Amino acid sequence: MINSLTNLINQTVPYAWDNSMSMMEFLGKIVTSMNEVISLVNEKLPEDFETKFYDTFREYTTAEMDRIVASGQFQTTLENILSGVGTTRDELVEARQGSGTLAANLTGIKASLAEVNDQLKSTWINVKYAPVPMVRATGDGTTNDGPALQAIINLGKNILIPPGTYKSSVPLTLKKISIIGSNTNDTKIMFTGNNHGLIIPSGSFPNRNSVEISGFALGSSAVNRGDYYAVYVPGVTPGAALAWNFGLNLSKIDITGFGGGIYISDFFRFNASEIGMTGVVNPISVIGSVIQSTFDKITNNCDSPPASSMDNIGMFITYKNYADGTHTPESVKSENLSFAANDVGLQYLNGLFCTFNNLDLDFCKTAGLRIGGEGTFENIYIASNTTTKKFIGIAFDVQD
């Protein structure tokens, strides 16, 4: 606080001093007045004021700085301060007129300020402290935080989601940003509407750099939740020209309540790892031109799933038709996957150079593994939970 007041005095004195008294007399009056104010404040404030003040001050200044940076006022303010630095009125006037040593350096300083301003604008946003005047997410488990979260996502900055339960009546449509929660136990997004959870539209993840989405749970309490995916990446409409999204690392996510886990289409370098699902009818669907992607350490137990129109398959992989013909998943690596109590453990209808290693396809109801594409299979465990129905361990499905 003292440093801040000192800086304030250094900036204001050259403007307020009018030569009616010496500089030392002028500073003496300021210091005396400050001491009087501090003494008066100390007498009136409650004992816990300091703690409450700093908590409130930190929250306010964080929000205010975000607002100032976003509006461009930060750069303008710093330029005005730097342009007014001096020890005499003549130097101030000289600098403002564009002459003198100080003014000669301002061009480089302003260029540096522009760079700093851009860097500040690229910082992370905590959803509970969104820039003023945006509505902040509460994470209180009651408020509909969906519109607030979507507005923050639309800013295009990386996002931090602190502990809390964030209810949303709407799906969240993502931009190419990183979204990080605290962990799957403490940070939860609960969807209440009949819709998918996180949606990545075609073309919304350009360029080949990767972003991270990690560290929270996704759930649904909607009536028809069994017909929707927690993470939905539909790609282009069948029959349209092929266009890819690029670069996503999805990890440390917990999924419950949805009928589907991850639906991915038309993606280059999609990597999913350390994802746990419970009661999900179709944990993974890989459709069409998904290239150089990985699925690792993903589990699902399909006991007590919601009512769903989806095919009950642990992992489903197949082709898609485009304007230039048919494309299939290519160079997709799947390992350390465990799917329990699905009708079919893995249905690989089409693909090129795909590999499957260390799969646990347990308590399957009709078939363990159905193969129709070119690939490599190693260390596959298959078990059935039925003694009354016909069960197929491995079936080779020939595609026309």
Side-chain angles (χ1 to χ4, degrees), residues 211-264:
V211 296
E212 307 283 335
I213 296 179
S214 178
F216 52 87
L218 296 171
S220 177
S221 61
V223 174
N224 298 324
R225 61 188 183 277
D227 295 327
Y228 298 97
Y229 285 87
V231 179
Y232 186 62
V233 190
V236 301
T237 303
L242 173 59
W244 289 301
N245 279 314
F246 297 89
L248 172 58
N249 297 323
L250 181 73
S251 66
K252 297 180 174 63
I253 301 291
D254 187 74
I255 297 173
T256 58
F258 286 95
I262 300 169
Y263 183 101
I264 182 78

Side-chain angles (χ1 to χ4, degrees), residues 160-166 180-189 214-218 254:
L160 296 174
I161 308 180
T165 298
Y166 302 81
I180 307 296
S182 56
N183 57 69
T184 56
N185 289 323
D186 296 330
T187 300
K188 302 176 182 179
I189 304 177
S214 178
F216 52 87
L218 296 171
D254 187 74

